[in-house]
C-alpha cells in the first residue's frame, strides 16, 4: 500500500496540490503528478515510491560526486523511481521516468536501510540515482534514524525542491551535490521541462546552511558547452555562492542517454576549456573527468589528495592542508 504523502494540501473537488517541488502540481483524483511518483487517490495524495527502493548499492563518496566530504569513504546509496525533471540527456531514465508500474519492489523499512549502512561500515547514506525530492517523505524517515545513529545524510539533487521541502530536509542534511545544468533558462525549459530560477535560489539558500555543498555541470556539445555560458555559471558560483564551492565538470555520453543518442560525446578539449573558464572566473576547486582530479591547497599549492577516477591514491590530510593548515575537507 502506498503511504499518504505529507507535504501537500487539499483543493476543492477532491483535487490536491503537492508542495514538494516547484512544479506545485495540482492533481485531480485518479491522476499522478509530473514526477509520476505521487498519485491522488480519492482526494488524498499518496507517495508511490515510499519504501520501494529500485536500487541500493555501496559507492565511493567520490562517485556522487563529493570530493571534499568524507573523502575515501563508501556511502550506502539508494534511489527509487520518478523524477520532477525530464532531461533528454538522463542516463538513469529507466528509473527516473518510471511510475514504478510493473516493477517488483519489496518494501524496505527506513530502519532496515540504516541498519544496512551500519552493517556495511558506511559512514553515510546517499539519496541518489533518481531525484530524492520525489521520495522526500521516505528519505526523511531514513535521515532521522541515520542521524541518531551517527550517519551522515547526502542528497544528490537537481535542486528543484520547494521551500517547504527544504525546511524539512535541511536540518538533517550533511552534504549535497546539486546539478547546475546551465545558466540559460532556455536549457532548463527545452531539455528538462522545468524552470531554472528555483535552482539558483535553492543554491543561494543552501550555501548559507550548515550542509556541505558541491556543484556538478554536465557539458553537452551544442547545448551546454558555450564558453560564455560556462563563464556566467562559474561567476555565479564565485559571486553569489562561495568561490571555494567545488565545481565538477562532467562529460556527456550519448549512448546512455534517454533522448539524445544522436548528440556528440563531449570532447576532451571542451572539458579542458570549461576547466580553464572555471579557474579564470576565480573558482578554487575545479574538477573534471579527464585531467583534473587532484585537490591542491589553494594557499601553498601542496597536493593534498591525489585521485584516479573514484579512487584516492594519496590522502595526506586530516581535513587541513599538511603544508599550511588551511581547512579544505569536511570530515563530517
Ligand atoms: S514532487 Fe513535484 S513533480 Fe512530483 S507531484 Fe510533487 S510537485 Fe509534482
Ligand atoms: S538527469 Fe537527473 S534531474 Fe534529469 S531526469 Fe535524470 S534523474 Fe532527473
Amino acid at each position: 500500500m502506498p503511504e499518504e504523502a505529507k507535504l501537500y494540501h487539499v483543493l476543492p473537488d477532491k483535487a490536491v496540490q503537492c508542495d514538494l517541488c516547484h512544479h506545485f502540481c495540482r492533481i485531480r483524483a485518479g491522476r499522478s503528478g509530473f514526477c509520476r511518483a505521487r498519485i491522488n487517490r480519492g482526494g488524498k495524495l499518496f507517495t508511490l515510491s515510499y519504501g520501494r527502493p529500485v536500487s541500493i548499492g555501496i559507492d565511493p563518496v567520490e562517485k556522487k560526486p563529493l570530493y571534499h566530504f568524507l573523502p575515501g569513504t563508501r556511502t550506502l546509496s539508494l534511489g527509487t523511481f520518478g523524477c520532477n525533471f525530464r532531461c533528454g540527456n538522463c542516463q538513469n531514465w529507466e528509473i527516473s521516468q518510471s511510475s514504478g508500474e510493473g516493477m517488483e519492489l519489496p518494501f524496505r523499512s527506513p530502519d532496515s536501510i540504516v541498519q544496512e549502512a551500519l552493517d556495511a561500515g558506511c559512514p553515510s547514506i546517499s539519496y541518489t540515482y533518481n531525484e530524492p525530492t520525489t521520495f522526500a517523505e521516505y528519505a526523511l524517515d531514513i535521515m532521522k534514524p541515520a542521524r541518531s545513529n551517527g550517519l551522515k545524510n547526502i542528497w544528490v539533487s537537481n535542486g528543484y525542491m520547494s521551500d517547504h521541502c527544504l525546511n524539512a530536509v535541511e536540518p538533517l542534511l550533511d552534504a549535497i551535490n546539486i546539478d547546475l545544468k546551465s545558466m540559460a533558462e532556455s536549457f532548463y525549459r527545452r531539455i528538462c521541462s522545468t524552470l531554472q530560477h528555483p535552482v539558483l535560489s535553492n543554491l543561494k539558500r543552501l550555501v548559507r546552511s550548515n550542509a556541505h555543498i558541491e556543484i556538478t555541470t554536465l557539458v553537452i556539445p551544442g547545448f551546454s558547452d558555450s564558453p560564455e555560458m560556462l563563464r556566467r555559471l562559474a561567476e555565479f558560483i564565485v559571486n553569489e555562492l562561495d568561490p571555494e564551492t567545488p565545481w565538477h565538470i562532467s562529460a556527456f555520453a550519448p549512448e546512455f542517454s534517454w533522448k539524445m543518442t544522436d548528440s556528440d560525446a563531449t570532447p576532451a578539449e571542451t572539458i579542458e576549456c570549461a576547466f580553464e573558464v572555471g579557474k579564470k572566473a576565480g573558482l578554487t576547486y575545479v574538477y573534471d573527468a579527464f585531467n583534473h582530479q587532484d585537490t591542491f591547497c589553494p594557499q601553498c599549492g601542496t597536493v593534498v589528495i591525489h585521485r584516479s577516477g573514484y579512487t584516492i591514491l594519496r590522502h595526506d590530510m586530516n581535513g587541513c592542508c599538511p603544508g599550511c593548515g588551511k581547512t579544505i575537507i569536511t570530515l563530517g
Side-chain angles (χ1 to χ4, degrees):
M1 250 318 268
E3 281 274 312
E4 186 176 351
K6 292 202 173 79
L7 286 168
Y8 80 100
H9 64 273
V10 174
L11 299 172
D13 300 324
K14 294 200 165 182
V16 298
Q17 177 175 314
C18 177
D19 294 321
L20 261 190
C21 90
H22 273 269
H23 287 296
F24 294 112
C25 296
R26 292 170 159 246
I27 311 169
R28 284 182 283 139
R31 306 296 291 268
S32 304
F34 184 85
C35 61
R36 304 182 174 100
R38 299 164 82 77
I39 191 167
N40 178 343
R41 287 197 177 143
K44 286 184 177 174
L45 186 65
F46 288 86
T47 153
L48 295 170
S49 53
Y50 189 101
R52 299 176 69 203
V54 174
S55 185
I56 302 181
I58 294 177
D59 293 329
V61 75
E62 283 75 17
K63 195 174 176 183
K64 298 304 108 189
L66 289 177
Y67 276 19
H68 288 236
F69 186 79
L70 297 174
T73 65
R74 299 176 312 148
T75 179
L76 186 92
S77 303
L78 82 149
T80 62
F81 53 82
C83 187
N84 50 355
F85 279 30
R86 301 245 166 102
C87 307
N89 58 278
C90 186
Q91 303 204 339
N92 284 349
W93 59 273
E94 282 167 330
I95 59 170
S96 75
Q97 303 306 315
S98 165
S99 63
E101 204 179 327
M103 291 180 172
E104 288 289 323
L105 302 170
F107 181 79
R108 288 294 311 269
S109 72
D111 284 342
S112 76
I113 302 290
V114 172
Q115 194 57 51
E116 188 168 335
L118 291 168
D119 290 347
C122 295
S124 66
I125 297 179
S126 293
Y127 310 86
T128 178
Y129 303 140
N130 69 323
E131 174 52 43
T133 303
T134 64
F135 63 92
E137 288 93 347
Y138 185 45
L140 283 162
D141 282 355
I142 301 169
M143 291 168 85
K144 287 171 205 149
R147 171 68 61 89
S148 52
N149 278 278
L151 301 176
K152 304 296 176 192
N153 288 307
I154 296 169
W155 273 40
V156 180
S157 174
N158 56 33
Y160 209 60
M161 59 288 270
S162 66
D163 280 348
H164 310 286
C165 179
L166 258 187
N167 291 345
V169 169
E170 203 184 289
L172 293 163
L173 186 67
D174 297 292
I176 187 164
N177 185 300
I178 289 193
D179 262 2
L180 179 52
K181 295 168 186 289
S182 170
M183 283 309 276
E185 183 78 49
S186 58
F187 179 97
Y188 275 81
R189 284 184 190 278
R190 233 175 103 206
I191 306 295
C192 314
S193 306
T194 56
L195 304 171
Q196 181 214 37
H197 64 84
V199 181
L200 301 186
S201 307
N202 283 338
L203 280 165
K204 288 185 198 170
R205 173 173 168 177
L206 278 160
V207 86
R208 293 192 303 270
S209 75
N210 289 326
H212 171 81
I213 179 166
E214 303 195 17
I215 292 174
T216 299
T217 302
L218 175 70
V219 176
I220 309 174
F223 294 92
S224 56
D225 62 344
S226 127
E228 166 59 18
M229 185 286 292
L230 291 167
R231 180 187 61 76
R232 286 195 292 123
L233 192 153
E235 287 178 356
F236 169 80
I237 303 173
V238 170
N239 298 323
E240 305 285 338
L241 305 179
D242 179 341
E244 294 201 359
T245 307
W247 185 39
H248 301 265
I249 303 159
S250 57
F252 177 60
E255 63 274 26
F256 303 116
S257 75
W258 181 31
K259 288 181 175 172
M260 294 170 74
T261 46
D262 291 339
S263 301
D264 293 329
T266 317
E269 43 288 10
T270 306
I271 295 292
E272 184 62 26
C273 171
F275 175 86
E276 293 302 332
V277 165
K279 294 304 281 183
K280 201 167 164 202
L283 282 168
T284 309
Y285 305 110
V286 185
Y287 301 104
D288 69 54
F290 294 114
N291 291 320
H292 304 283
Q293 293 166 1
D294 292 346
T295 299
F296 292 86
C297 172
Q299 242 167 227
C300 70
T302 301
V303 183
V304 291
I305 301 183
H306 182 34
R307 300 183 184 84
S308 173
Y310 303 132
T311 307
I312 291 200
L313 302 176
R314 212 186 71 233
H315 179 354
D316 285 345
M317 59 188 315
N318 188 16
C320 302
C321 171
C324 68
K326 179 177 167 56
T327 302
I328 294 179
I329 300 293
T330 305
L331 292 172

